[in-house]
């Protein structure tokens, strides 16, 4: 091309050359001009990289104490936009203090009062961390948030969806009660995993392709709870799967400072941030706290009276165990105090739990009875009252429970019911931890008493009675297992009164308690003996006694996520059930049993017959009666003896009687079944026989003309068409199986398998039809004659 241009240039005239040079210069000038003015178009990733670089430089110069709004924070535009969108404009104290160190990549231990916005304090650094690392779905899990309960995990997930709505990360909720396989497929592609410890470990164990080796940031919400004994094995197993080079954030209203716990997390120069450490109280300022002292037997009356006086409020009631929740919920539903009643505990199935949680969030006025699964972290909107029917395990539990109200600058009320035995020690502990709780006096006489109604409910509803029994045992068990023996003294509980207040006539027997009391008795006598022998051993034996009473578990009975913190090895579930079922006579109950016997006598005198059922057979005779006549007679005799003894039910006698009745009943039942089977069998045979007869008659008619001989030998047993001579043949043939065997050539004979019953019937039928009109003697002679002839 250039050769051609050069050739043209040589050949061109001077003017032409001048023009060409002009044109060339002009073009060059324009080209250089356009190059200067055109802006450099950068790729989006380049812009993003620059922004991230700028953000990181801002971290060093930023003073969070001077920043009043999120807009001032060195955050990505996407995070800021989402915060704006959801109305989060001003950061709270904990957010101000902890976001910056977390952005800088430091390990943070954050502590602040309940409802002070700790969730955002860890969610914002998570989003920024992944944004800085330019994380995407192909990178898998980059952040992990562990929560102690499913409800709290769901709540965190919902807030994450709000503040992360402008980012492109994927987030997943990994909690129990869902399809594991389906979850496994998604969890590997999830960038931010919000989970409960048990479910996460399940995935780490079973989902082969789920790996956390790229994890950048780990968050433990309610860290002290997650790091306590209840979760220790699960958390240790999870930590083994995490990379050692990661950032760790721990948040709680009651933060752990246990070096042992923190050492497990291998924190790197952690920053401890406690924004309310210097404040006067450890609970929110808008929270009014009161306590009342009452007997355990007055608790339900007090709760009912409270509800009746606070119908237009949203109330959360805490009790110690699932079984107490179940019973309270059942009776409150029956009592209809005029407010929607809900319940939440760990033994409910997952969809139900979630439904209750969401419904209570939505409701304006409602009452939720719950165990401590609702104590931590849950942000139910506008709760007016928190009522603690049972004394919490410790002050931390108290702080979390009451923290469900008066959240985020709001106000609320808390009421704590204390037994006289619990009061002093608990109040002293609360005061020492800066919890301002005031005493309230209650006029017990003015309470609305519901125990009478509960007793009648229990009498008419066996299921409710069982619930009451379980509630009783569960409460005693929870008190027995509490760590702090200065507060929780099970032997001071008035068991009889408590049982009556639940609607039970007698307190169910709590066997583990009796055993443990017997143990402590022997321990104390041993100690006495050792005092006499060696004074220096006293200390040790008292210690061992205390150790026997001291247990080491948490109270989340029934919550599959909360594993037990206390040592329940001495009390098995089976035992508990037995204890609930058996109400064996006690020396103490002697009087009550006697009065029951008297009551029975009174009924007999009046002629009241209880639960009598008589069934008549077809002839009008008595087929069945309840109670059985023999049994009733037996009872009468026994009741006389019992009256003499006046000592309640004799279990051994009752057992023997029950066994005898059982044998009789089984025999009767067997006979009935056998008779029924026989009837069915006979019916079937009759039908078969009829069908066969019909078939053979038809065949006989068809072949009658052509093969008369054959017809006789194989013909019907009782064919009415056959004549005198031939009538005898079928009897022999049918009766003799050998004939059938020998004459294998005849297909007709083979077809029918003759049963012995058939034979009897057939012969009878044949004989009935073969009326020759001769005498028996004549017939015999004829038969003999024919046989001889045949031979
Ligand atoms: N900066 C903010 N601006 C407005 N509202 C906020 C802000 N931060 C948090 N909140 C609101 O405050 C309430 C309590 O927040 P959050 O649940 O995070 O408290 P918490 O400290 O984690 O409580 P707990 O100790 O009980 O777990 C929530 O309803 C939340 O939406």
């Amino acid at each position: 091309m250039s050769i051609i241009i050069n050739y043209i240039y040589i050949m061109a005239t001077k003017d032409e050359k001048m023009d060409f040079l002009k044109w060339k210069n002009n073009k060059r000038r324009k080209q250089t001009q356009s190059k200067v003015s055109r802006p450099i178009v950068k790729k989006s990733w380049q812009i993003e990289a620059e922004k991230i670089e700028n953000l990181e430089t801002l971290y060093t110069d930023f003073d969070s104490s001077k920043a009043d709004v999120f807009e001032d924070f060195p955050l990505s535009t996407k995070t800021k936009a989402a915060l704006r969108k959801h109305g989060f404009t001003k950061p709270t104290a904990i957010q101000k203090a902890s976001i910056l160190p977390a952005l800088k990549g430091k390990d943070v231990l954050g502590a602040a009062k309940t409802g002070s916005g700790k969730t955002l304090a860890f969610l914002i650094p998570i989003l920024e961390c992944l944004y800085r690392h330019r994380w995407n779905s192909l990178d898998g899990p980059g952040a992990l948030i562990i929560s102690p309960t499913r409800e709290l995990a769901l709540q965190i997930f919902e807030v994450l969806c709000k503040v992360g709505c402008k980012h492109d990360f994927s987030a997943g909720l990994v909690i129990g009660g869902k399809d594991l396989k389906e979850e496994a497929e998604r969890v590997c592609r999830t960038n931010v995993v919000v989970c409960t410890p048990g479910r996460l470990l399940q995935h780490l164990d079973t989902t082969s392709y789920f790996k956390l080796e790229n994890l950048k940031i780990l968050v433990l919400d309610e860290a002290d709870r997650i790091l306590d004994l209840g979760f220790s094995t699960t958390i240790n197993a999870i930590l083994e799967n995490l990379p050692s080079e990661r950032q760790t954030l721990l948040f709680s209203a009651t933060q752990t400072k246990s070096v042992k716990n923190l050492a497990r997390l291998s924190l790197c120069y952690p920053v401890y941030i406690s924004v309310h450490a210097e404040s006067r109280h450890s609970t929110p300022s808008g929270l009014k706290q009161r306590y009342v002292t009452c007997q355990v037997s007055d608790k339900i009356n007090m709760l009912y009276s409270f509800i009746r006086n606070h119908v237009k409020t949203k109330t959360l009631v805490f009790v110690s165990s699932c079984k107490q929740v179940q019973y309270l919920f059942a009776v409150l539903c029956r009592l209809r105090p005029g407010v929607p009643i809900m319940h939440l505990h760990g033994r409910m199935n997952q969809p139900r739990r979630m439904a209750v949680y969401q419904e209570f969030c939505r409701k304006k006025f409602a009452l939720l009875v719950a165990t401590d699964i609702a104590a931590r972290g849950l942000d139910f909107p506008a709760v007016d009252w928190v009522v603690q029917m049972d004394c919490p395990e410790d002050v931390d539990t108290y702080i979390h429970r009451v923290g469900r109200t008066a959240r985020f600058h709001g106000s609320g009320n808390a009421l704590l019911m204390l037994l006289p035995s619990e009061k002093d020690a608990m109040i002293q502990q609360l005061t020492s931890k800066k919890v301002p709780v005031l005493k309230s006096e209650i006029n017990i006489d003015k309470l609305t008493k519901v125990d009478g109604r509960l007793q009648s409910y229990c009498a008419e509803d066996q299921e409710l009675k069982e619930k009451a029994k379980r509630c009783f045992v569960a409460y005693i068990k929870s008190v027995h297992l509490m760590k702090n023996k200065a507060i929780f003294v099970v032997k001071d509980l008035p068991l009889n009164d408590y049982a009556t207040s639940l609607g039970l006539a007698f307190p169910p027997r709590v066997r583990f308690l009796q055993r443990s009391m017997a143990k402590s008795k022997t321990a104390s006598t041993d100690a006495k003996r050792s005092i006499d022998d060696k004074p220096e051993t006293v200390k040790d034996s008292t210690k061992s006694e205390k150790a026997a009473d001291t247990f080491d578990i948490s109270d989340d009975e029934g919550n599959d996520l909360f594993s037990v913190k206390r040592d329940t090895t001495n009390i098995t579930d089976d035992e508990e059930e037995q204890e609930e079922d058996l109400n064996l006579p006690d020396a103490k109950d002697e009087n009550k049993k006697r009065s029951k016997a008297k009551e029975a006598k009174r009924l007999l005198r009046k002629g009241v017959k209880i639960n009598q059922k008589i069934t008549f057979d077809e002839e009008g005779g008595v087929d069945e009666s309840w109670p059985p006549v023999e049994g009733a007679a037996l009872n009468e005799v026994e009741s006389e003896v019992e009256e003499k003894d006046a000592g309640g039910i004799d279990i051994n006698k009752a057992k023997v009687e029950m066994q005898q009745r059982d044998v009789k009943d089984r025999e009767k039942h067997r006979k009935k079944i056998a008779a029924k089977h026989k009837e069915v069998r006979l019916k079937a045979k009759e039908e078969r026989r009829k069908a066969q007869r019909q078939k053979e008659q038809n065949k006989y008619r068809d072949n009658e003309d052509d093969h008369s001989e054959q017809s006789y030998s194989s013909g019907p047993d009782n064919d009415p068409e056959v004549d005198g001579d031939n009538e005898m043949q079928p009897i022999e043939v049918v009766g003799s199986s050998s004939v059938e065997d020998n004459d294998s050539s005849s297909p007709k004979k083979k077809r029918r398998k003759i049963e012995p019953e058939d034979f009897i019937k057939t012969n009878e039928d044949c004989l009935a039809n073969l009326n020759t009109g001769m005498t028996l003697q004549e017939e015999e002679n004829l038969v003999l004659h024919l046989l001889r002839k045949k031979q």
Side-chain angles (χ1 to χ4, degrees):
M1 185 70 172
S2 60
I3 298 166
I4 298 167
I5 291 170
N6 282 340
Y7 176 74
I8 293 169
Y9 186 76
I10 293 160
M11 296 300 289
T13 60
K14 202 180 173 186
D15 289 346
E16 281 171 340
K17 274 180 186 171
M18 284 298 285
D19 284 348
F20 174 72
L21 285 172
K22 241 185 193 175
W23 173 83
K24 202 178 168 185
N25 288 339
N26 268 344
K27 198 177 176 203
R28 245 184 221 160
R29 201 175 54 243
K30 271 181 191 171
Q31 268 177 349
T32 46
Q33 266 178 3
S34 72
K35 259 186 193 173
V36 172
S37 63
R38 197 173 63 200
I40 303 155
V41 182
K42 284 184 187 170
K43 296 262 185 319
S44 63
W45 63 266
Q46 283 173 315
I47 299 165
E48 210 71 37
E50 273 173 20
K51 277 185 189 171
I52 291 167
E53 218 170 282
N54 288 340
L55 273 180
E56 282 170 344
T57 51
L58 286 175
Y59 293 164
T60 41
D61 307 328
F62 183 68
D63 182 0
S64 57
S65 61
K66 284 177 190 163
D68 287 333
V69 284
F70 280 122
E71 289 297 326
D72 298 340
F73 274 68
L75 301 175
S76 62
T77 44
K78 288 178 180 178
T79 306
K80 278 183 185 174
L83 287 170
R84 246 191 338 265
K85 187 180 169 192
H86 292 100
F88 300 116
T89 46
K90 285 187 172 184
T92 62
I94 184 71
Q95 290 159 6
K96 262 188 179 186
S98 65
I99 287 177
L100 188 67
L103 287 176
K104 286 180 180 169
K106 293 197 173 150
D107 289 347
V108 174
L109 287 151
K113 288 180 186 178
T114 52
S116 58
K118 292 184 286 291
T119 315
L120 272 190
F122 62 74
L123 285 182
I124 293 173
I126 283 180
L127 292 171
E128 293 300 294
C129 171
L130 295 188
Y131 172 72
R132 281 197 313 270
H133 285 97
R134 310 184 60 205
W135 213 260
N136 65 45
S137 62
L138 295 177
D139 296 315
L144 186 64
I145 305 166
I146 305 180
S147 137
T149 63
R150 297 174 188 181
E151 286 77 11
L152 182 55
L154 172 69
Q155 188 181 292
I156 296 168
F157 179 76
E158 283 171 353
V159 182
L160 174 67
C161 291
K162 280 184 188 171
V163 285
C165 66
K166 302 282 173 184
H167 286 278
D168 306 319
F169 313 128
S170 55
L173 183 64
V174 178
I175 53 176
K178 284 182 176 179
D179 182 33
L180 191 75
K181 257 190 182 175
E182 202 184 294
E183 210 175 63
E185 280 167 25
R186 285 198 224 137
V187 76
C188 309
R189 286 176 276 127
T190 306
N191 299 144
V192 187
V193 179
V194 187
C195 63
T196 49
R199 189 58 158 196
L200 177 70
L201 189 62
Q202 205 177 354
H203 275 296
L204 288 169
D205 285 343
T206 57
T207 313
S208 54
Y209 40 94
F210 178 55
K211 295 274 178 309
L212 292 170
E213 53 208 19
N214 290 333
L215 195 86
K216 293 285 164 212
I217 187 163
L218 166 73
V219 176
L220 304 187
D221 193 14
E222 306 299 341
D224 56 330
R225 181 73 186 90
I226 288 181
L227 290 172
D228 80 15
L229 265 169
F231 287 115
S232 64
T233 30
T234 315
I235 290 296
N236 289 347
I238 291 171
L239 290 173
E240 275 172 24
N241 288 277
L242 306 185
S244 54
E245 256 193 42
R246 55 155 206 271
Q247 189 183 357
T248 309
L249 309 178
L250 312 180
F251 281 87
S252 179
T254 50
Q255 189 56 273
T256 181
K257 286 174 200 160
S258 152
V259 179
K260 208 172 125 194
N261 273 340
L262 300 176
R264 283 153 69 199
L265 291 164
S266 340
L267 300 178
C268 175
Y269 300 110
V271 187
Y272 185 78
I273 300 164
S274 178
V275 285
H276 301 121
E278 301 306 315
S279 59
R280 259 182 79 202
H281 303 306
S282 51
T283 45
S285 51
L287 180 65
K288 282 183 195 154
Q289 300 165 74
R290 297 177 190 89
Y291 77 91
V292 287
T293 316
C294 67
Q295 292 298 334
V296 66
S297 49
D298 285 324
K299 280 185 177 182
I300 295 186
N301 292 336
M302 197 170 278
L303 177 71
Y304 183 76
S305 307
F306 173 88
I307 304 169
R308 292 295 301 143
N309 286 314
H310 298 86
V311 176
K312 293 257 176 278
T313 56
K314 194 166 177 174
T315 306
L316 188 50
V317 178
F318 284 105
V319 286
S320 308
S321 63
C322 300
K323 287 169 186 173
Q324 284 173 270
V325 171
Q326 284 166 343
Y327 175 71
L328 263 184
F329 174 70
V331 292
L332 287 175
C333 287
R334 278 196 170 222
L335 288 167
R336 296 168 191 239
V339 63
I341 311 286
M342 293 171 213
H343 69 316
L344 188 69
H345 59 82
R347 289 194 181 184
M348 287 162 76
N349 64 30
Q350 188 52 27
R352 188 87 203 96
R353 266 172 80 163
M354 289 301 167
V356 170
Y357 164 75
Q358 275 155 352
E359 202 185 343
F360 190 65
C361 283
R362 274 196 308 274
K363 285 255 163 72
K364 200 176 170 199
F365 307 128
L367 181 119
L368 177 68
V369 188
T371 57
D372 280 335
I373 59 163
R376 280 182 178 255
L378 298 188
D379 188 40
F380 296 119
V383 172
D384 302 296
W385 277 92
V386 169
V387 178
Q388 300 185 59
M389 269 189 85
D390 295 332
C391 180
E393 187 184 6
D394 48 31
V395 180
D396 285 356
T397 310
Y398 175 92
I399 291 172
H400 286 284
R401 281 180 175 183
V402 295
R404 296 317 98 210
T405 181
R407 295 178 71 72
F408 193 68
H409 310 317
S411 61
N413 298 280
L415 177 70
L416 170 66
M417 293 186 198
L418 289 175
L419 303 182
S421 58
E422 294 166 345
K423 193 199 92 185
D424 291 338
M426 190 65 197
I427 296 301
Q428 191 260 320
Q429 289 189 13
L430 287 171
T431 331
S432 70
K433 287 218 176 178
K434 300 198 290 183
V435 178
V437 56
L438 300 172
K439 187 177 177 169
S440 274
E441 291 292 347
I442 295 243
N443 188 350
I444 297 290
D445 299 332
K446 286 199 172 169
L447 293 180
T448 315
K449 297 240 176 342
V450 288
D451 30 5
R453 278 158 81 183
L454 299 194
Q455 276 161 28
S456 62
Y457 292 157
C458 284
E460 68 186 26
D461 186 347
Q462 187 60 28
E463 208 179 307
L464 188 71
K465 192 175 164 188
E466 287 307 316
K467 277 184 182 160
K469 282 184 185 176
R470 287 196 197 107
C471 167
F472 178 92
V473 179
Y475 175 66
I476 306 297
K477 188 175 160 185
S478 75
V479 175
H480 179 68
L481 295 177
M482 289 293 184
K483 224 175 175 178
N484 193 338
K485 294 296 164 194
I487 301 174
F488 302 99
V489 191
V490 79
K491 67 176 168 35
D492 287 355
L493 296 174
L495 300 186
N496 284 357
D497 293 347
Y498 179 48
T500 315
S501 76
L502 296 177
L504 295 169
F506 307 106
R509 194 172 160 202
V510 189
R511 206 191 293 164
F512 72 82
L513 192 62
Q514 288 176 346
R515 214 184 297 147
S516 118
M517 279 177 176
K519 247 189 205 173
S520 58
K521 250 189 192 174
T522 31
S524 62
T525 38
D526 285 354
K528 250 190 178 178
R529 253 183 245 146
S530 57
I531 289 169
D532 298 340
D533 300 345
K534 288 187 222 164
E536 65 271 17
T537 54
V538 177
K539 236 183 180 176
D540 291 341
S541 59
T542 341
K543 251 189 198 173
S544 69
E545 191 186 328
K546 263 189 185 168
D549 269 359
T550 309
F551 296 88
D552 205 19
I553 49 169
S554 86
D555 57 331
D556 265 305
E557 187 202 337
N559 179 10
D560 41 354
L561 298 166
F562 283 78
S563 46
V564 195
K565 219 183 4 168
R566 276 174 238 125
D567 178 11
T568 46
T569 44
N570 290 332
I571 309 154
T572 60
D573 270 0
D574 287 350
E575 271 182 24
E576 195 184 307
E577 294 301 325
Q578 280 174 14
E579 281 145 13
E580 287 160 11
D581 292 344
L582 287 176
N583 188 10
L584 302 178
D586 252 356
K588 270 186 185 177
D589 295 333
E590 203 95 310
N591 287 336
K592 286 198 173 174
K593 291 272 156 64
R594 212 169 287 148
S595 69
K596 218 179 173 187
K598 272 182 191 166
E599 180 63 18
K601 258 162 86 182
R602 196 179 60 83
L603 287 175
L604 279 173
R605 237 180 286 130
K606 281 192 172 183
V608 179
K609 284 184 181 174
I610 310 154
N611 297 342
Q612 207 171 38
K613 180 189 164 192
I614 301 171
T615 317
F616 295 95
D617 60 15
E618 279 172 9
E619 280 84 41
V622 176
D623 183 35
E624 221 178 87
S625 71
W626 199 96
V629 182
E630 333 84 272
L634 204 80
N635 273 352
E636 269 172 32
V637 177
E638 275 179 3
S639 68
E640 276 172 29
V641 178
E642 259 173 35
E643 275 170 30
K644 276 178 205 161
D645 293 350
I649 303 157
D650 185 335
I651 288 292
N652 291 333
K653 270 184 194 170
K655 259 189 195 170
V656 173
E657 190 196 319
M658 289 305 286
Q659 277 167 0
Q660 283 170 357
R661 275 186 197 163
D662 195 37
V663 170
K664 273 178 195 161
D665 284 350
R666 263 193 243 156
E667 185 61 30
K668 219 174 177 181
H669 184 67
R670 224 187 347 258
K671 274 182 188 168
K672 255 188 184 176
I673 298 284
K676 221 178 194 177
H677 284 182
K678 202 176 171 187
E679 201 181 308
V680 171
R681 247 195 343 262
L682 288 175
K683 244 185 197 171
K685 269 174 198 167
E686 179 65 20
E687 270 164 24
R688 261 204 322 271
R689 199 173 57 76
K690 268 185 190 166
Q692 179 71 18
R693 207 187 300 155
Q694 191 64 40
K695 211 169 143 191
E696 286 176 358
Q697 268 179 17
N698 293 343
K699 274 176 197 165
Y700 171 72
R701 271 193 221 110
D702 293 345
N703 300 332
E704 203 181 18
D705 300 334
D706 308 329
H707 315 283
S708 58
E709 270 299 309
Q710 252 184 14
S711 296
Y712 286 132
S713 59
S714 61
D717 309 340
N718 51 357
D719 193 344
E721 303 276 329
V722 289
D723 59 34
D725 276 0
N726 299 326
E727 277 167 8
M728 307 307 286
Q729 215 86 355
I731 299 173
E732 279 182 19
V733 172
V734 172
S736 159
S737 57
S738 61
V739 174
E740 219 175 80
D741 292 342
N742 295 342
D743 195 0
S744 55
S745 59
S746 167
K748 280 173 192 170
K749 279 178 204 164
K750 263 191 173 178
R751 241 178 271 151
R752 179 140 187 257
K753 190 190 169 197
I754 298 156
E755 310 267 334
E757 289 96 331
D758 256 339
F759 172 64
I760 297 160
K761 275 201 163 189
T762 329
N763 280 349
E764 278 168 6
D765 290 344
C766 285
L767 288 170
N769 290 321
L770 296 170
N771 191 1
T772 53
M774 291 187 266
T775 63
L776 187 67
Q777 189 62 43
E778 282 168 350
E779 277 179 355
E780 273 177 13
N781 289 340
L782 177 64
V783 170
L784 287 170
H785 168 73
L786 285 169
L787 284 171
R788 251 179 256 127
K789 233 175 133 183
K790 206 180 176 190
Q791 280 165 2

